[in-house]
Amino acid sequence: MHRMKKPLIGITSFLDHSKRVPYCSLKESYVRAIEAAGGIPIILPVADPSHAGEILQKIDGLLFSGGGDIAPWLFGQEPVPGLGTYDTRLDEWEISLCQIAWKTSKPMMGICRGCQVMNVALGGTLLQDIPQKVGLSDIVLHNPAVPPYELCHSISITKGSYLSTLFSSEKPRVNSFHHQAVDTVAESLVVSARSQDGIIEALEAKDARFALALQFHPEGLWERYPEFLAPFSALVRAAKTPS
Ligand code: MN
């Protein structure tokens, strides 16, 4: 079937526990980025993992949004100092979505926490806190106290990677709002960018499917720096293509 309609892109939300009762919540910049890229955004609630398959059948592509940390036992670790707040309900829901999306080759992209969720769901591990592995003398600042539209550190994009087709520069500067990072890369993914301290800043599928994981936040940058709309346009394009 040739699909001419705009594709429906599901965006994961998180549980905001700062209210009297939890709210499903999402920064609306993700919604606007998907619309600017030509997709129709639909916010997914934090739902029962057993509903992931049916929800995925209704959407053409999936975007894992940013947020807090991931419970370390979900990637086989004990908690270490520096670990932030996590929400196991959200983790299990997103992991379930990702695993089923992978099995069904649903185009997907992860941003920040979403990048980490994809890696964990597919069998990789995380650094619970970057100084766990990177010495203080080598570390690049990954969580400056600036707004999301401010560029921070540069990244080196792997030559020949899919990511390299989306950016005009091999060493673009990106924003950065994370203290965790990908450690062991999942078997089915490959590194497509690193920062100068060796921290993984992007992953992509080893095979031809569209699965892109970004540690930076293009949704905060594209209005000021239009080239950062490219990852969203790529997701929308992939979601338009019948699998
Ligand atoms: Mn970073």
Side-chain angles (χ1 to χ4, degrees):
M1 187 189 77
H2 189 60
R3 188 190 289 275
M4 297 297 292
K5 288 190 299 186
K6 286 184 174 184
L8 206 53
I9 308 294
I11 311 173
T12 61
S13 61
F14 67 97
L15 293 173
D16 177 357
H17 293 283
S18 70
K19 310 265 188 342
R20 199 165 58 87
V21 293
Y23 277 56
C24 287
S25 184
L26 177 70
K27 255 192 331 188
E28 65 99 26
S29 53
Y30 293 103
V31 169
R32 284 187 294 107
I34 291 296
E35 287 185 322
I40 300 177
I42 180 160
I43 299 174
L44 305 180
V46 181
D48 189 300
S50 70
H51 295 152
E54 288 197 51
I55 287 178
L56 282 167
Q57 283 178 21
K58 309 285 187 196
I59 59 176
D60 304 302
L62 181 59
L63 175 59
F64 292 100
S65 58
D69 290 354
I70 298 173
W73 58 85
L74 295 172
F75 48 93
Q77 292 184 6
E78 291 298 320
V80 305
L83 174 68
T85 184
Y86 51 80
D87 181 336
T88 315
R89 253 182 85 197
L90 172 63
D91 294 343
E92 289 177 339
W93 160 243
E94 289 192 323
I95 285 170
S96 174
L97 270 179
C98 180
Q99 288 173 342
I100 297 171
W102 183 270
K103 273 189 205 137
T104 56
S105 297
K106 188 75 69 180
M108 62 174 126
M109 185 160 86
I111 290 179
C112 197
R113 167 193 160 84
C115 162
Q116 297 164 8
V117 164
M118 283 172 59
N119 188 54
V120 168
L122 300 172
T125 68
L126 302 182
L127 287 175
Q128 293 180 45
D129 196 29
I130 289 172
Q132 211 187 323
K133 219 168 198 179
V134 182
L136 282 179
S137 54
D138 297 322
I139 208 163
V140 160
L141 184 61
H142 289 279
N143 48 3
V146 297
Y149 49 77
E150 292 293 352
L151 297 172
C152 179
H153 61 72
S154 62
I155 57 171
S156 294
I157 299 182
T158 309
K159 277 197 177 75
S161 63
Y162 176 78
L163 186 68
S164 72
T165 67
L166 300 182
F167 286 91
S168 53
S169 163
E170 285 175 12
K171 231 178 156 185
R173 196 163 286 279
V174 300
N175 56 2
S176 191
F177 303 96
H178 61 111
H179 78 99
Q180 292 204 306
V182 168
D183 190 5
T184 310
V185 178
E187 180 83 28
S188 44
L189 300 175
V190 63
V191 175
S192 41
R194 287 183 193 267
S195 48
Q196 195 180 268
D197 52 3
I199 289 298
I200 292 170
E201 289 279 338
L203 298 169
E204 60 190 55
K206 256 186 194 165
D207 61 18
R209 78 181 68 215
F210 186 91
L212 187 60
L214 307 174
Q215 188 54 67
F216 52 96
H217 283 269
E219 83 287 358
L221 290 171
W222 66 272
E223 284 170 293
R224 189 181 274 205
Y225 303 102
E227 73 167 341
F228 285 96
L229 192 61
F232 298 101
S233 304
L235 171 63
V236 167
R237 218 162 37 237
K240 262 188 203 169
T241 311
S243 55

